[in-house]
Amino acid sequence: DLYCIATHSINQHNEPEDTLLFFEEQDGLFRQRKEEFTMLAERVMSLFLLYEKNGWHFVTYSLAGTGVVVRIFSLIDGNIHIVFQRGVRCMPEILDVDHDGFEEILLCNGVFLINRQDNDIIELPESASIYRWDGKQYTLFKTVSWENRLCEGSLESMHPETRE
């Protein structure tokens, strides 16, 4: 089993940073793995594990400025790698859209509108970019309208002949 903890510290430039440390459990003992990922600290970091039929993916969400940084880590060929990293303006949806046992990542692409009555700027979802696992990383599969992101018709060709 793999485990992760996040530590918070101040670096030599007096900037806050977060470090992810990974551990393996073997015979009831925890051994720290060699991989460490350090990033400048954002305001809030949340962590969760995403299990799939091809292994585990570890997801972090960090608030940064006016958006969210999404990072996904995965164990590939015995090493932990960042397999997805994007800054987005709203939280992504991570779900098995096409019911094949693999979770897809849906990112909202918005448009900005100005309310003429009070000049407030609002962002509305316009489309969704769908990212799929290709065995090594999440790659952009297609972009569909926001309203149709979960419709069967918009997911045509999501089942390639081979999928790792």
Side-chain angles (χ1 to χ4, degrees), residues 64-114:
T66 60
V68 177
V69 177
V70 180
R71 292 180 188 93
I72 301 180
F73 302 82
S74 187
L75 185 64
I76 300 173
D77 299 328
N79 296 305
I80 297 171
H81 299 275
I82 294 176
V83 296
F84 186 82
Q85 180 171 293
R86 297 286 183 283
V88 294
R89 297 201 33 93
C90 59
M91 294 296 281
E93 296 176 293
I94 300 178
L95 59 146
D96 185 3
V97 178
D98 56 358
H99 312 293
D100 66 349
F102 294 90
E103 305 253 50
E104 285 77 38
I105 301 170
L106 286 75
L107 298 183
C108 172
N109 304 308
V111 294
F112 291 101
L113 301 174
I114 297 176

Side-chain angles (χ1 to χ4, degrees), residues 104-135:
E104 285 77 38
I105 301 170
L106 286 75
L107 298 183
C108 172
N109 304 308
V111 294
F112 291 101
L113 301 174
I114 297 176
N115 181 336
R116 292 180 193 234
Q117 291 177 349
D118 54 15
N119 287 331
D120 279 348
I121 298 174
I122 58 172
E123 184 176 15
L124 296 176
E126 181 178 54
S127 62
S129 296
I130 301 173
Y131 291 82
R132 290 191 355 199
W133 179 248
D134 68 5

